[in-house]
Amino acid sequence: MVTVISRRSLLTSLPAASLAFSACRRTAPAYPWYAYIANQEGEAIAALDLEVMAVAKHIPLKGSPTEVLTAETRPVVYALTPDTGTLHEISTGDLHVARQVKVATRAHSMALAGDEKMLYITALDPPSLVAVAVDSMQVAWKLGFPEMPVNLAIGVDRNEPNGGADLQLAAISFGTCVRLVDLQHQQLGNPLAAPAATGTWGQVRFLSGAETLIAANLVDQQVSLYRTAPHSKTDTAQTSAQLITHLPIAVRPDNLCFNHDGGQLFVTGEGMDAVVVIYPFDTPRVAETVLAGHAPGAMGVSDSLLFVASPESGDISILNIPTRKVIAITQVGSDPGFITITPNDRYALVLNRKSGDVAVIRIADIAPNRYKAAGLLTVIPVGSKPVSAALHSVG
């Protein structure tokens, strides 16, 4: 049963609203750190020094970046410019483009393998999956698609001794279906059986260990779960997926976000000013639907807080994850669309697309068990239409 926490009950328990928004954090012992911010219209990456809270350098690119990824084992950050189909490698030591490779006429999105030996890019022209060998920064292979890709997820085993071995499994969503890809054999699997589903499909995510795949069905307004653990070492992507269940929810599943241990999945989207909370393990079920924000969009988490962006109203709603109560709402800027949490849960960085700046919230100032306005530490201009950010230590 879905429990809806009403806006009235929230308002009677909270004096006013307050907030902040985030992306999943990376663990690290100390500063200094830089945030590398993709300015889509500015055709540059802004390197933001988090010690002095100022942009150290704008790194120009030939194209409009929409996504940045950090490499934990290398002193580099990767930026993708889909309009030019080019992957750029940026050195974190001297803040310049060290290498680049053109992978397609037009690209879409990217994901780094768990062992960071390969970077995978979905391309639109032609529709395909492109594997780039990180050491050589050259295209290793390409796999053609029958239709345009929508979203990409790579299976990673976080229990492996090396900290995240590539399981040689990817999931790709398309407009009409979801398919698995056997990366080792470069083989595209058949559409996953989904008799209750009619498409269109959105985001795909693997649970920890990649034994379960979660896929967002936008048309049927449900989240579908599939068991992807191979039954034997000879299983391929065509034979290793089995439907677990379809979970109808109160919103269109436009945005998916896990808490840090993967035990809770948060969903926002069109249809309701709310966050849907799902327990994806064991017997998957919808736990609650919590009213939060106005037309809520992108999300992110710290250890105990969920940050939810409301692009239309320019604010962030902060939920206490253990209690699932809204404990703060704060104005951050114009059109917040992405947030990342800095190491050790020090700051929440909110990227405002229209105002071209980053709002910085100090997480330690947010009271976890009572209402207290979450004031901004500072707002930093970074460029034209910031849309994505990645964090990396200096040096």
Side-chain angles (χ1 to χ4, degrees), residues 2-295:
V2 175
T3 302
V4 177
I5 301 177
S6 72
R7 191 180 303 275
R8 179 182 297 274
S9 65
L10 285 176
L11 293 176
T12 55
S13 62
L14 300 177
S18 118
L19 139 104
F21 172 76
S22 115
C24 292
R25 147 209 95 154
R26 53 186 296 168
T27 302
Y31 279 73
W33 283 72
Y34 275 17
Y36 295 85
I37 300 168
N39 290 315
Q40 185 174 6
E41 294 179 353
E43 297 190 347
I45 301 297
L48 175 61
D49 187 332
L50 296 176
E51 279 293 276
V52 300
M53 292 296 173
V55 174
K57 184 178 180 180
H58 282 93
I59 306 165
L61 301 177
K62 294 181 179 179
S64 300
T66 60
E67 190 175 359
V68 286
L69 290 178
T70 186
E72 295 188 5
T73 61
R74 302 167 183 264
V76 298
V77 170
Y78 299 101
L80 183 67
T81 53
D83 58 333
T84 66
T86 303
L87 174 67
H88 310 262
E89 181 187 79
I90 298 170
S91 168
T92 60
D94 52 14
L95 303 179
H96 81 285
V97 177
R99 298 184 295 178
Q100 58 187 21
V101 58
K102 188 175 180 65
V103 300
T105 303
R106 287 188 303 136
H108 185 262
S109 61
M110 61 178 175
L112 192 61
D115 56 12
E116 298 193 352
K117 294 180 180 179
M118 203 75 72
L119 197 151
Y120 299 97
I121 299 171
T122 51
L124 301 179
D125 188 10
S128 57
L129 180 66
V130 182
V132 175
V134 171
D135 284 340
S136 64
M137 198 64 173
Q138 297 294 321
V139 173
W141 51 265
K142 295 184 179 182
L143 175 65
F145 290 153
E147 57 181 309
M148 294 292 186
V150 174
N151 199 234
L152 164 69
I154 302 296
V156 173
D157 188 352
R158 297 298 181 187
N159 296 319
E160 286 294 308
N162 65 4
D166 186 357
L167 289 182
Q168 302 296 317
L169 184 67
I172 310 287
S173 63
F174 300 91
T176 62
C177 66
V178 175
R179 297 172 184 257
L180 296 178
V181 177
D182 182 338
L183 299 172
Q184 182 179 3
H185 299 95
Q186 301 153 37
Q187 182 180 9
L188 182 65
N190 294 323
L192 300 187
T198 58
T200 299
W201 296 88
Q203 293 186 11
V204 286
R205 295 288 186 272
F206 284 103
L207 288 184
S208 176
E211 294 181 354
T212 301
L213 173 68
I214 295 177
N217 187 320
L218 305 181
V219 170
D220 291 344
Q221 200 165 295
Q222 64 186 16
V223 173
S224 299
L225 292 90
Y226 299 88
R227 191 166 308 283
T228 56
H231 306 295
S232 72
K233 293 182 179 180
T234 60
D235 278 344
T236 68
Q238 291 191 8
T239 62
S240 60
Q242 295 180 337
L243 175 66
I244 298 173
T245 188
H246 301 295
L247 295 177
I249 58 176
V251 303
R252 189 176 67 187
D254 294 323
N255 306 285
L256 309 179
C257 180
F258 289 104
N259 71 330
H260 282 169
D261 65 9
Q264 295 182 66
L265 173 66
F266 306 105
V267 186
T268 62
E270 183 178 310
M272 192 175 184
D273 294 342
V275 176
V276 177
V277 183
I278 293 175
Y279 292 149
F281 282 100
D282 300 324
T283 303
R285 63 185 178 88
V286 176
E288 291 183 274
T289 299
V290 183
L291 294 180
H294 174 64

